Short mmCIF file of all heavy atoms in Angstrom, two decimals:
data_model
loop_
_atom_site.label_atom_id
_atom_site.label_comp_id
_atom_site.label_asym_id
_atom_site.label_seq_id
_atom_site.Cartn_x
_atom_site.Cartn_y
_atom_site.Cartn_z
N ARG A 113 -42.80 -43.01 9.01
CA ARG A 113 -41.93 -42.86 10.25
C ARG A 113 -41.23 -41.48 10.22
O ARG A 113 -41.14 -40.92 11.29
CB ARG A 113 -40.93 -43.99 10.27
CG ARG A 113 -40.14 -44.02 11.61
CD ARG A 113 -39.29 -45.14 11.68
NE ARG A 113 -38.51 -45.20 12.86
CZ ARG A 113 -37.58 -46.06 13.23
NH1 ARG A 113 -37.25 -46.97 12.33
NH2 ARG A 113 -36.91 -46.03 14.32
N TYR A 114 -40.87 -41.06 8.94
CA TYR A 114 -40.15 -39.83 8.85
C TYR A 114 -40.96 -38.96 7.72
O TYR A 114 -40.50 -39.09 6.61
CB TYR A 114 -38.72 -39.95 8.39
CG TYR A 114 -37.98 -40.93 9.35
CD1 TYR A 114 -37.63 -42.29 8.94
CD2 TYR A 114 -37.35 -40.48 10.54
CE1 TYR A 114 -36.85 -43.04 9.90
CE2 TYR A 114 -36.57 -41.19 11.42
CZ TYR A 114 -36.41 -42.56 11.03
OH TYR A 114 -35.69 -43.35 11.91
N PRO A 115 -41.95 -38.31 8.13
CA PRO A 115 -42.69 -37.43 7.20
C PRO A 115 -41.90 -36.40 6.58
O PRO A 115 -41.08 -35.71 7.32
CB PRO A 115 -43.92 -37.02 8.11
CG PRO A 115 -43.38 -37.03 9.48
CD PRO A 115 -42.43 -38.16 9.58
N ILE A 116 -42.09 -36.13 5.28
CA ILE A 116 -41.39 -35.04 4.54
C ILE A 116 -42.20 -33.75 4.77
O ILE A 116 -43.50 -33.91 4.82
CB ILE A 116 -41.38 -35.29 3.06
CG1 ILE A 116 -40.41 -36.58 2.78
CG2 ILE A 116 -41.13 -34.18 2.18
CD1 ILE A 116 -38.97 -36.11 2.92
N LYS A 117 -41.54 -32.68 4.79
CA LYS A 117 -42.19 -31.39 4.84
C LYS A 117 -42.84 -31.12 3.46
O LYS A 117 -42.18 -31.25 2.41
CB LYS A 117 -41.26 -30.19 5.10
CG LYS A 117 -40.65 -30.29 6.42
CD LYS A 117 -39.62 -29.30 6.70
CE LYS A 117 -38.96 -29.38 8.21
NZ LYS A 117 -37.93 -28.44 8.39
N ILE A 118 -44.09 -30.80 3.47
CA ILE A 118 -44.93 -30.68 2.19
C ILE A 118 -44.36 -29.63 1.24
O ILE A 118 -44.20 -29.82 0.02
CB ILE A 118 -46.33 -30.31 2.46
CG1 ILE A 118 -47.20 -30.37 1.14
CG2 ILE A 118 -46.55 -29.05 3.15
CD1 ILE A 118 -48.69 -30.32 1.31
N ASP A 119 -43.74 -28.50 1.81
CA ASP A 119 -43.20 -27.54 0.83
C ASP A 119 -41.93 -28.10 0.15
O ASP A 119 -41.77 -27.76 -1.07
CB ASP A 119 -42.58 -26.35 1.84
CG ASP A 119 -43.88 -25.53 2.27
OD1 ASP A 119 -44.97 -25.84 1.94
OD2 ASP A 119 -43.59 -24.67 3.13
N GLN A 120 -41.19 -28.98 0.79
CA GLN A 120 -40.05 -29.52 0.26
C GLN A 120 -40.29 -30.39 -1.08
O GLN A 120 -39.76 -30.21 -2.13
CB GLN A 120 -39.30 -30.40 1.18
CG GLN A 120 -38.71 -29.69 2.43
CD GLN A 120 -37.48 -28.95 1.96
OE1 GLN A 120 -36.62 -29.47 1.21
NE2 GLN A 120 -37.26 -27.82 2.45
N VAL A 121 -41.34 -31.29 -0.91
CA VAL A 121 -41.65 -32.13 -1.99
C VAL A 121 -42.41 -31.39 -3.17
O VAL A 121 -42.23 -31.68 -4.31
CB VAL A 121 -42.46 -33.34 -1.56
CG1 VAL A 121 -43.74 -33.00 -1.11
CG2 VAL A 121 -42.66 -34.46 -2.71
N CYS A 122 -43.18 -30.34 -2.77
CA CYS A 122 -43.98 -29.58 -3.75
C CYS A 122 -42.82 -28.77 -4.66
O CYS A 122 -43.16 -28.57 -5.83
CB CYS A 122 -44.96 -28.73 -3.09
SG CYS A 122 -46.37 -29.69 -2.54
N ASP A 123 -41.90 -28.20 -3.88
CA ASP A 123 -40.89 -27.43 -4.62
C ASP A 123 -40.28 -28.41 -5.66
O ASP A 123 -39.93 -27.82 -6.80
CB ASP A 123 -39.84 -26.86 -3.61
CG ASP A 123 -40.46 -25.73 -2.78
OD1 ASP A 123 -41.49 -25.19 -3.18
OD2 ASP A 123 -39.87 -25.42 -1.69
N TRP A 124 -39.94 -29.53 -5.24
CA TRP A 124 -39.26 -30.49 -6.28
C TRP A 124 -40.18 -30.73 -7.44
O TRP A 124 -39.90 -30.76 -8.59
CB TRP A 124 -38.91 -31.83 -5.54
CG TRP A 124 -38.06 -32.68 -6.44
CD1 TRP A 124 -36.68 -32.66 -6.55
CD2 TRP A 124 -38.55 -33.71 -7.29
NE1 TRP A 124 -36.25 -33.59 -7.43
CE2 TRP A 124 -37.40 -34.31 -7.86
CE3 TRP A 124 -39.82 -34.20 -7.58
CZ2 TRP A 124 -37.51 -35.34 -8.82
CZ3 TRP A 124 -39.86 -35.24 -8.54
CH2 TRP A 124 -38.73 -35.89 -9.07
N LEU A 125 -41.47 -30.93 -7.19
CA LEU A 125 -42.45 -31.37 -8.22
C LEU A 125 -42.71 -30.16 -9.07
O LEU A 125 -42.72 -30.25 -10.35
CB LEU A 125 -43.82 -31.76 -7.60
CG LEU A 125 -43.79 -33.13 -6.93
CD1 LEU A 125 -45.17 -33.31 -6.19
CD2 LEU A 125 -43.70 -34.23 -8.03
N ASN A 126 -42.74 -28.85 -8.48
CA ASN A 126 -42.94 -27.73 -9.34
C ASN A 126 -41.72 -27.47 -10.21
O ASN A 126 -41.93 -26.93 -11.35
CB ASN A 126 -43.11 -26.39 -8.47
CG ASN A 126 -44.44 -26.50 -7.90
OD1 ASN A 126 -45.39 -26.86 -8.51
ND2 ASN A 126 -44.70 -25.86 -6.67
N LYS A 127 -40.53 -27.84 -9.86
CA LYS A 127 -39.35 -27.71 -10.61
C LYS A 127 -39.24 -28.65 -11.70
O LYS A 127 -38.82 -28.27 -12.89
CB LYS A 127 -38.07 -27.83 -9.64
CG LYS A 127 -36.74 -27.79 -10.31
CD LYS A 127 -35.65 -27.97 -9.28
CE LYS A 127 -34.34 -27.97 -10.02
NZ LYS A 127 -33.13 -28.16 -9.01
N HIS A 128 -39.75 -29.88 -11.66
CA HIS A 128 -39.56 -30.89 -12.63
C HIS A 128 -40.78 -31.26 -13.41
O HIS A 128 -40.71 -31.87 -14.45
CB HIS A 128 -39.03 -32.10 -11.93
CG HIS A 128 -37.59 -31.99 -11.24
ND1 HIS A 128 -36.51 -31.85 -12.05
CD2 HIS A 128 -37.34 -31.85 -9.97
CE1 HIS A 128 -35.43 -31.76 -11.36
NE2 HIS A 128 -35.92 -31.68 -10.04
N LEU A 129 -42.04 -30.87 -12.89
CA LEU A 129 -43.35 -31.16 -13.70
C LEU A 129 -43.85 -29.80 -14.21
O LEU A 129 -44.42 -28.99 -13.45
CB LEU A 129 -44.35 -31.74 -12.81
CG LEU A 129 -43.96 -33.03 -12.11
CD1 LEU A 129 -45.02 -33.72 -11.27
CD2 LEU A 129 -43.59 -34.11 -13.23
N LYS A 130 -43.48 -29.48 -15.36
CA LYS A 130 -43.82 -28.12 -15.93
C LYS A 130 -45.27 -28.00 -16.43
O LYS A 130 -45.73 -26.99 -16.35
CB LYS A 130 -42.91 -27.81 -17.12
CG LYS A 130 -41.43 -27.85 -16.83
CD LYS A 130 -41.01 -27.00 -15.76
CE LYS A 130 -39.51 -26.91 -15.46
NZ LYS A 130 -39.12 -26.07 -14.37
N GLU A 131 -45.85 -29.17 -16.77
CA GLU A 131 -47.31 -29.04 -17.19
C GLU A 131 -48.22 -29.41 -16.04
O GLU A 131 -47.97 -30.30 -15.24
CB GLU A 131 -47.54 -30.06 -18.38
CG GLU A 131 -46.57 -30.00 -19.60
CD GLU A 131 -46.90 -28.59 -20.24
OE1 GLU A 131 -48.03 -27.99 -20.15
OE2 GLU A 131 -45.93 -28.03 -21.01
N ASP A 132 -49.40 -28.67 -16.10
CA ASP A 132 -50.23 -28.82 -14.99
C ASP A 132 -50.92 -30.34 -14.90
O ASP A 132 -51.20 -30.75 -13.88
CB ASP A 132 -51.47 -27.78 -15.06
CG ASP A 132 -51.08 -26.55 -14.57
OD1 ASP A 132 -49.88 -26.38 -14.13
OD2 ASP A 132 -51.89 -25.45 -14.73
N ILE A 133 -51.05 -30.86 -16.15
CA ILE A 133 -51.69 -32.24 -16.13
C ILE A 133 -50.89 -33.27 -15.35
O ILE A 133 -51.51 -34.08 -14.72
CB ILE A 133 -51.95 -32.64 -17.61
CG1 ILE A 133 -52.74 -33.95 -17.61
CG2 ILE A 133 -50.55 -32.91 -18.31
CD1 ILE A 133 -54.10 -33.76 -17.22
N TYR A 134 -49.56 -33.10 -15.21
CA TYR A 134 -48.77 -34.14 -14.52
C TYR A 134 -48.94 -33.80 -12.98
O TYR A 134 -48.88 -34.78 -12.24
CB TYR A 134 -47.35 -34.02 -15.05
CG TYR A 134 -47.19 -34.33 -16.37
CD1 TYR A 134 -46.67 -33.30 -17.37
CD2 TYR A 134 -47.53 -35.58 -16.90
CE1 TYR A 134 -46.47 -33.64 -18.70
CE2 TYR A 134 -47.48 -35.83 -18.34
CZ TYR A 134 -46.96 -34.82 -19.11
OH TYR A 134 -46.82 -35.04 -20.47
N LYS A 135 -49.13 -32.59 -12.57
CA LYS A 135 -49.42 -32.21 -11.25
C LYS A 135 -50.80 -32.68 -10.81
O LYS A 135 -50.99 -33.14 -9.76
CB LYS A 135 -49.25 -30.83 -10.94
CG LYS A 135 -47.83 -30.23 -11.26
CD LYS A 135 -47.74 -28.67 -11.03
CE LYS A 135 -46.53 -28.13 -11.49
NZ LYS A 135 -46.48 -26.56 -11.30
N LEU A 136 -51.64 -32.59 -11.78
CA LEU A 136 -53.15 -33.00 -11.51
C LEU A 136 -53.18 -34.57 -11.32
O LEU A 136 -54.06 -35.06 -10.51
CB LEU A 136 -54.09 -32.61 -12.64
CG LEU A 136 -54.50 -31.10 -12.68
CD1 LEU A 136 -55.12 -30.85 -14.01
CD2 LEU A 136 -55.32 -30.81 -11.39
N GLN A 137 -52.26 -35.30 -11.94
CA GLN A 137 -52.14 -36.69 -11.68
C GLN A 137 -51.73 -37.04 -10.27
O GLN A 137 -52.26 -37.99 -9.66
CB GLN A 137 -51.18 -37.35 -12.68
CG GLN A 137 -51.75 -37.45 -14.16
CD GLN A 137 -50.80 -37.95 -15.16
OE1 GLN A 137 -49.58 -38.06 -14.95
NE2 GLN A 137 -51.24 -38.01 -16.35
N VAL A 138 -50.87 -36.15 -9.75
CA VAL A 138 -50.44 -36.25 -8.40
C VAL A 138 -51.75 -36.12 -7.55
O VAL A 138 -52.01 -36.86 -6.53
CB VAL A 138 -49.37 -35.26 -7.94
CG1 VAL A 138 -49.00 -35.37 -6.40
CG2 VAL A 138 -48.13 -35.57 -8.74
N ILE A 139 -52.54 -34.98 -7.70
CA ILE A 139 -53.74 -34.81 -7.05
C ILE A 139 -54.62 -35.92 -7.19
O ILE A 139 -55.36 -36.28 -6.07
CB ILE A 139 -54.37 -33.38 -7.46
CG1 ILE A 139 -53.43 -32.25 -7.18
CG2 ILE A 139 -55.62 -33.17 -6.69
CD1 ILE A 139 -52.93 -32.00 -5.77
N TYR A 140 -54.79 -36.40 -8.38
CA TYR A 140 -55.70 -37.56 -8.57
C TYR A 140 -55.36 -38.70 -7.75
O TYR A 140 -56.23 -39.30 -7.11
CB TYR A 140 -55.61 -37.96 -10.08
CG TYR A 140 -56.56 -39.07 -10.48
CD1 TYR A 140 -57.75 -38.89 -11.01
CD2 TYR A 140 -56.01 -40.49 -10.45
CE1 TYR A 140 -58.65 -39.88 -11.42
CE2 TYR A 140 -56.86 -41.48 -10.83
CZ TYR A 140 -58.08 -41.25 -11.25
OH TYR A 140 -58.86 -42.23 -11.68
N PHE A 141 -54.08 -39.08 -7.67
CA PHE A 141 -53.63 -40.15 -6.88
C PHE A 141 -53.96 -39.92 -5.32
O PHE A 141 -54.41 -40.81 -4.60
CB PHE A 141 -52.12 -40.37 -7.06
CG PHE A 141 -51.57 -41.10 -5.93
CD1 PHE A 141 -51.80 -42.57 -5.78
CD2 PHE A 141 -50.63 -40.58 -5.08
CE1 PHE A 141 -51.12 -43.24 -4.79
CE2 PHE A 141 -50.01 -41.30 -4.07
CZ PHE A 141 -50.33 -42.60 -3.87
N MET A 142 -53.58 -38.67 -4.86
CA MET A 142 -53.80 -38.35 -3.43
C MET A 142 -55.27 -38.40 -3.15
O MET A 142 -55.68 -38.81 -2.01
CB MET A 142 -53.13 -36.95 -3.21
CG MET A 142 -51.63 -36.99 -3.33
SD MET A 142 -50.88 -38.03 -2.04
CE MET A 142 -51.10 -37.00 -0.60
N THR A 143 -56.13 -37.85 -4.01
CA THR A 143 -57.60 -38.00 -3.70
C THR A 143 -58.01 -39.49 -3.67
O THR A 143 -58.96 -39.78 -2.88
CB THR A 143 -58.28 -37.35 -4.90
OG1 THR A 143 -57.90 -35.96 -4.98
CG2 THR A 143 -59.85 -37.23 -4.52
N GLY A 144 -57.48 -40.25 -4.56
CA GLY A 144 -57.87 -41.66 -4.44
C GLY A 144 -57.45 -42.33 -3.20
O GLY A 144 -58.19 -43.21 -2.54
N VAL A 145 -56.19 -41.96 -2.64
CA VAL A 145 -55.82 -42.47 -1.30
C VAL A 145 -56.85 -42.04 -0.20
O VAL A 145 -57.12 -42.79 0.65
CB VAL A 145 -54.33 -41.91 -0.89
CG1 VAL A 145 -53.98 -42.28 0.46
CG2 VAL A 145 -53.33 -42.50 -1.92
N SER A 146 -57.24 -40.72 -0.23
CA SER A 146 -58.12 -40.29 0.83
C SER A 146 -59.55 -40.88 0.73
O SER A 146 -60.28 -40.96 1.64
CB SER A 146 -58.21 -38.65 0.77
OG SER A 146 -58.85 -38.32 -0.43
N MET A 147 -59.95 -41.27 -0.49
CA MET A 147 -61.26 -41.70 -0.81
C MET A 147 -61.43 -43.21 -0.66
O MET A 147 -62.43 -43.73 -1.17
CB MET A 147 -61.76 -41.13 -2.10
CG MET A 147 -62.16 -39.81 -2.32
SD MET A 147 -63.77 -39.48 -1.51
CE MET A 147 -64.87 -40.51 -2.61
N ILE A 148 -60.42 -43.98 -0.16
CA ILE A 148 -60.37 -45.38 -0.15
C ILE A 148 -61.59 -45.96 0.71
O ILE A 148 -62.15 -46.96 0.42
CB ILE A 148 -59.17 -45.97 0.43
CG1 ILE A 148 -59.04 -47.45 0.12
CG2 ILE A 148 -59.00 -45.67 1.83
CD1 ILE A 148 -58.97 -47.78 -1.35
N ASP A 149 -62.07 -45.12 1.62
CA ASP A 149 -63.16 -45.53 2.49
C ASP A 149 -64.48 -44.85 2.05
O ASP A 149 -65.46 -44.91 2.69
CB ASP A 149 -63.01 -45.18 4.02
CG ASP A 149 -62.66 -43.68 4.09
OD1 ASP A 149 -62.26 -43.06 3.16
OD2 ASP A 149 -62.50 -43.28 5.28
N GLY A 150 -64.39 -44.17 0.90
CA GLY A 150 -65.67 -43.69 0.26
C GLY A 150 -65.84 -42.23 0.70
O GLY A 150 -66.95 -41.69 0.33
N LYS A 151 -65.14 -41.63 1.44
CA LYS A 151 -65.35 -40.27 1.95
C LYS A 151 -64.03 -39.56 2.20
O LYS A 151 -62.94 -40.22 2.34
CB LYS A 151 -66.16 -40.18 3.17
CG LYS A 151 -65.53 -40.90 4.37
CD LYS A 151 -66.55 -40.89 5.53
CE LYS A 151 -66.01 -41.44 6.91
NZ LYS A 151 -65.74 -42.94 6.70
N VAL A 152 -64.12 -38.23 2.25
CA VAL A 152 -63.00 -37.43 2.55
C VAL A 152 -63.20 -36.68 3.91
O VAL A 152 -64.18 -35.78 3.98
CB VAL A 152 -62.63 -36.32 1.53
CG1 VAL A 152 -61.43 -35.47 1.90
CG2 VAL A 152 -62.33 -37.10 0.24
N ILE A 153 -62.51 -36.91 4.93
CA ILE A 153 -62.77 -36.19 6.09
C ILE A 153 -62.13 -34.72 6.07
O ILE A 153 -61.33 -34.49 5.15
CB ILE A 153 -62.10 -36.95 7.36
CG1 ILE A 153 -60.60 -37.09 7.20
CG2 ILE A 153 -62.81 -38.22 7.58
CD1 ILE A 153 -59.88 -37.65 8.53
N VAL A 154 -62.51 -33.86 7.03
CA VAL A 154 -62.21 -32.48 6.93
C VAL A 154 -60.63 -32.32 6.91
O VAL A 154 -60.19 -31.49 6.06
CB VAL A 154 -62.77 -31.77 8.17
CG1 VAL A 154 -62.37 -30.20 8.05
CG2 VAL A 154 -64.31 -31.70 8.08
N SER A 155 -59.93 -33.03 7.72
CA SER A 155 -58.48 -32.78 7.73
C SER A 155 -57.74 -33.27 6.46
O SER A 155 -56.85 -32.70 6.04
CB SER A 155 -57.88 -33.58 8.89
OG SER A 155 -58.25 -34.94 8.87
N GLU A 156 -58.41 -34.28 5.73
CA GLU A 156 -57.81 -34.65 4.52
C GLU A 156 -58.12 -33.80 3.45
O GLU A 156 -57.33 -33.40 2.57
CB GLU A 156 -58.40 -36.07 4.14
CG GLU A 156 -57.98 -37.18 4.95
CD GLU A 156 -58.74 -38.54 4.67
OE1 GLU A 156 -59.82 -38.53 4.22
OE2 GLU A 156 -58.11 -39.61 4.82
N TYR A 157 -59.46 -33.23 3.35
CA TYR A 157 -59.83 -32.20 2.46
C TYR A 157 -58.85 -30.97 2.53
O TYR A 157 -58.39 -30.39 1.55
CB TYR A 157 -61.21 -31.77 2.65
CG TYR A 157 -61.65 -30.62 1.75
CD1 TYR A 157 -62.12 -31.05 0.47
CD2 TYR A 157 -61.66 -29.33 2.06
CE1 TYR A 157 -62.59 -30.07 -0.49
CE2 TYR A 157 -62.21 -28.33 1.24
CZ TYR A 157 -62.56 -28.82 -0.05
OH TYR A 157 -63.01 -27.78 -0.92
#
Side-chain angles (χ1 to χ4, degrees):
R113 188 176 179 183
Y114 302 103
I116 288 284
K117 295 176 182 178
I118 189 172
D119 289 355
Q120 293 283 320
V121 66
C122 286
D123 285 346
W124 188 89
L125 288 168
N126 284 328
K127 180 179 178 181
H128 295 286
L129 301 182
K130 302 302 182 183
E131 303 294 336
D132 283 356
I133 189 61
Y134 301 116
K135 297 179 190 178
L136 284 170
Q137 287 174 354
V138 176
I139 301 299
Y140 180 92
F141 161 69
M142 293 295 288
T143 305
V145 174
S146 68
M147 283 285 296
I148 193 66
D149 54 347
K151 62 181 183 295
V152 178
I153 63 175
V154 174
S155 54
E156 290 174 333
Y157 178 82

